[in-house]
Amino acid sequence: MSSTVPKSSNIFWHDCPVGKTDRQNLLKQKGCVVWITGLSGSGKSTLACTLGRELHTRGKLAYVLDGDNLRHGLNKDLGFAAEDRAENIRRVDAGLVCIASFISPYRRDRESCRALLSDGSFIEVFLNMSLELCEARDPKGLYKLARAGKIKGFTGIDDPYEAPLNCEIEIKEVDGVCPSPSDMAAQVITYLEDKGFLHE
Ligand SMILES: Nc1ncnc2c1ncn2[C@@H]1O[C@H](COP(=O)(O)OS(=O)(=O)O)[C@@H](OP(=O)(O)O)[C@H]1O
Ligand SMILES: Nc1ncnc2c1ncn2[C@@H]1O[C@H](COP(=O)(O)OP(=O)(O)O)[C@@H](O)[C@H]1O
């Protein structure tokens, strides 16, 4: 028989002597969330991994949270209905330099993550690649399946993607050409340096 006691009863907060500021001083960095949003195939995972590698090389602690990967474990109970996509995003919380890579198609979900971080440490990166480019890449063959009606509710095909209105960083094609992965990462690193997230 299941208990009627709510899951969060009889628990007490235990203060820890090492806080966020201590960790930031130790690591010589300021915690932030780099939130990468864009269509499937726009390059989110590629940018997340290239950026994670570059920060690691510089001795900065970063952790990549990727939608596709999380859906193999923590979020495997979730599908792609609007409420499931919202829950998928809600479960991602900030830690160090947290690199979050999700389609995150709805503005309200991205804004509710932004609202958790009031001090400018939510950095929204919009991979503004055209549907044509993403569909031409189609590394997993999902656009093809969606066009054939074999996947329903695919973002950009028969499900919405709400582009950011005021993101911190926009990465887009120049004359139809996408910047290289290292150029994309460099654009984010420059922002982090300029805003003082990477001391020294
Ligand atoms: N219906 C539908 N729409 C969009 N994407 C789909 C769908 N079904 C499966 N996939 C695969 O799931 C990956 C996106 O997962 P996310 O967690 O980033 O999506 S979301 O933020 O909850 O919208 C996405 O991976 P990426 O290509 O890395 O974006 C797809 O491989
Ligand atoms: N800057 C880039 N230039 C050229 N190809 C890229 C670039 N970024 C990603 N790709 C390629 O595009 C495809 C989709 O990239 P991926 O990172 O998996 O996108 P997403 O995570 O948004 O679905 C992959 O085959 C990847 O190698």
Side-chain angles (χ1 to χ4, degrees):
M1 202 175 92
S2 66
S3 165
T4 52
V5 179
K7 281 187 183 146
S8 56
S9 290
N10 304 321
I11 56 158
F12 300 88
W13 185 264
H14 192 100
D15 258 331
C16 194
V18 178
K20 185 176 167 185
T21 310
D22 302 299
R23 278 191 295 275
Q24 293 186 157
N25 289 341
L26 179 73
L27 296 167
K28 296 190 170 52
Q29 65 187 55
K30 189 166 172 279
C32 61
V33 172
V34 175
W35 192 280
I36 305 169
T37 173
L39 292 172
S40 177
S42 60
K44 299 181 298 299
S45 304
T46 303
L47 171 58
C49 292
T50 310
L51 179 61
R53 163 57 55 193
E54 180 59 30
L55 288 167
H56 185 84
T57 302
R58 291 169 181 240
K60 303 298 175 192
L61 202 52
Y63 195 78
V64 175
L65 294 167
D66 184 278
D68 244 0
N69 291 355
L70 281 195
R71 283 172 178 280
H72 281 89
L74 175 68
N75 290 352
K76 69 179 167 203
D77 56 317
L78 301 176
F80 288 90
E83 60 273 22
D84 278 11
R85 292 189 198 245
E87 178 61 12
N88 186 35
I89 300 313
R90 193 194 66 79
R91 288 184 192 172
V92 180
D93 206 346
L96 318 150
V97 175
C98 168
I99 305 169
S101 155
F102 296 87
I103 297 179
S104 43
Y106 299 111
R107 263 179 222 130
R108 63 164 189 270
D109 296 334
R110 299 192 301 264
E111 289 309 312
S112 61
C113 291
R114 179 185 289 279
L116 295 171
L117 296 145
S118 51
D119 55 354
S121 61
F122 182 88
I123 300 151
E124 191 172 1
V125 181
F126 177 29
L127 278 188
N128 188 3
M129 302 304 154
S130 62
L131 178 63
E132 291 68 33
L133 177 77
C134 299
E135 205 169 345
R137 286 175 170 170
D138 203 11
K140 303 170 206 159
L142 298 179
Y143 281 104
K144 209 169 178 190
L145 290 174
R147 287 287 186 200
K150 292 182 179 150
I151 302 179
K152 301 279 181 217
F154 198 81
T155 305
I157 304 296
D158 56 348
D159 224 43
Y161 176 79
E162 298 172 359
L165 298 175
N166 49 7
C167 58
E168 280 69 18
I169 302 171
E170 181 179 0
I171 300 176
K172 55 183 176 185
E173 295 152 76
V174 181
D175 299 327
V177 179
C178 178
S180 70
S182 60
D183 283 349
M184 300 197 298
Q187 200 175 326
V188 179
I189 296 268
T190 300
Y191 180 94
L192 294 177
E193 282 175 339
D194 289 352
K195 297 289 178 185
F197 288 101
L198 312 175
H199 320 323
E200 287 186 334

PDB file of all heavy atoms in Angstrom, residues 10-16:
ATOM      1  N   ASN A  10       8.881  15.864   6.947  1.00  0.00           N
ATOM      2  CA  ASN A  10       9.894  15.449   7.925  1.00  0.00           C
ATOM      3  C   ASN A  10      11.318  15.527   7.411  1.00  0.00           C
ATOM      4  O   ASN A  10      12.136  14.649   7.669  1.00  0.00           O
ATOM      5  CB  ASN A  10       9.616  14.001   8.401  1.00  0.00           C
ATOM      6  CG  ASN A  10       8.218  13.882   8.962  1.00  0.00           C
ATOM      7  OD1 ASN A  10       7.760  14.800   9.649  1.00  0.00           O
ATOM      8  ND2 ASN A  10       7.534  12.803   8.651  1.00  0.00           N
ATOM      9  N   ILE A  11      11.603  16.557   6.664  1.00  0.00           N
ATOM     10  CA  ILE A  11      12.986  16.771   6.242  1.00  0.00           C
ATOM     11  C   ILE A  11      13.436  18.138   6.730  1.00  0.00           C
ATOM     12  O   ILE A  11      12.617  19.057   6.879  1.00  0.00           O
ATOM     13  CB  ILE A  11      13.165  16.661   4.708  1.00  0.00           C
ATOM     14  CG1 ILE A  11      12.241  17.644   3.983  1.00  0.00           C
ATOM     15  CG2 ILE A  11      12.953  15.243   4.210  1.00  0.00           C
ATOM     16  CD1 ILE A  11      12.706  17.980   2.606  1.00  0.00           C
ATOM     17  N   PHE A  12      14.709  18.278   7.039  1.00  0.00           N
ATOM     18  CA  PHE A  12      15.243  19.505   7.630  1.00  0.00           C
ATOM     19  C   PHE A  12      16.459  19.966   6.846  1.00  0.00           C
ATOM     20  O   PHE A  12      17.273  19.141   6.428  1.00  0.00           O
ATOM     21  CB  PHE A  12      15.627  19.245   9.098  1.00  0.00           C
ATOM     22  CG  PHE A  12      14.459  18.806   9.928  1.00  0.00           C
ATOM     23  CD1 PHE A  12      14.133  17.447  10.013  1.00  0.00           C
ATOM     24  CD2 PHE A  12      13.648  19.731  10.571  1.00  0.00           C
ATOM     25  CE1 PHE A  12      13.033  17.026  10.747  1.00  0.00           C
ATOM     26  CE2 PHE A  12      12.548  19.318  11.310  1.00  0.00           C
ATOM     27  CZ  PHE A  12      12.233  17.964  11.402  1.00  0.00           C
ATOM     28  N   TRP A  13      16.594  21.253   6.646  1.00  0.00           N
ATOM     29  CA  TRP A  13      17.741  21.794   5.927  1.00  0.00           C
ATOM     30  C   TRP A  13      18.967  21.744   6.825  1.00  0.00           C
ATOM     31  O   TRP A  13      18.921  22.144   7.984  1.00  0.00           O
ATOM     32  CB  TRP A  13      17.481  23.245   5.506  1.00  0.00           C
ATOM     33  CG  TRP A  13      18.597  23.784   4.667  1.00  0.00           C
ATOM     34  CD1 TRP A  13      19.655  24.530   5.091  1.00  0.00           C
ATOM     35  CD2 TRP A  13      18.774  23.585   3.264  1.00  0.00           C
ATOM     36  NE1 TRP A  13      20.486  24.805   4.038  1.00  0.00           N
ATOM     37  CE2 TRP A  13      19.965  24.244   2.899  1.00  0.00           C
ATOM     38  CE3 TRP A  13      18.032  22.913   2.272  1.00  0.00           C
ATOM     39  CZ2 TRP A  13      20.447  24.246   1.598  1.00  0.00           C
ATOM     40  CZ3 TRP A  13      18.511  22.927   0.980  1.00  0.00           C
ATOM     41  CH2 TRP A  13      19.703  23.590   0.651  1.00  0.00           C
ATOM     42  N   HIS A  14      20.076  21.226   6.337  1.00  0.00           N
ATOM     43  CA  HIS A  14      21.317  21.175   7.098  1.00  0.00           C
ATOM     44  C   HIS A  14      22.311  22.119   6.438  1.00  0.00           C
ATOM     45  O   HIS A  14      22.704  21.901   5.293  1.00  0.00           O
ATOM     46  CB  HIS A  14      21.854  19.728   7.106  1.00  0.00           C
ATOM     47  CG  HIS A  14      22.953  19.535   8.091  1.00  0.00           C
ATOM     48  ND1 HIS A  14      22.771  18.970   9.325  1.00  0.00           N
ATOM     49  CD2 HIS A  14      24.259  19.854   8.025  1.00  0.00           C
ATOM     50  CE1 HIS A  14      23.918  18.955   9.969  1.00  0.00           C
ATOM     51  NE2 HIS A  14      24.845  19.497   9.207  1.00  0.00           N
ATOM     52  N   ASP A  15      22.701  23.186   7.160  1.00  0.00           N
ATOM     53  CA  ASP A  15      23.635  24.154   6.593  1.00  0.00           C
ATOM     54  C   ASP A  15      25.016  23.543   6.409  1.00  0.00           C
ATOM     55  O   ASP A  15      25.485  22.825   7.278  1.00  0.00           O
ATOM     56  CB  ASP A  15      23.743  25.379   7.515  1.00  0.00           C
ATOM     57  CG  ASP A  15      22.933  26.534   6.959  1.00  0.00           C
ATOM     58  OD1 ASP A  15      22.787  26.590   5.729  1.00  0.00           O
ATOM     59  OD2 ASP A  15      22.442  27.356   7.763  1.00  0.00           O
ATOM     60  N   CYS A  16      25.643  23.876   5.288  1.00  0.00           N
ATOM     61  CA  CYS A  16      26.978  23.349   5.002  1.00  0.00           C
ATOM     62  C   CYS A  16      27.988  24.500   5.095  1.00  0.00           C
ATOM     63  O   CYS A  16      27.686  25.606   4.633  1.00  0.00           O
ATOM     64  CB  CYS A  16      26.953  22.758   3.593  1.00  0.00           C
ATOM     65  SG  CYS A  16      28.368  21.748   3.261  1.00  0.00           S
TER      66      CYS A  16
END
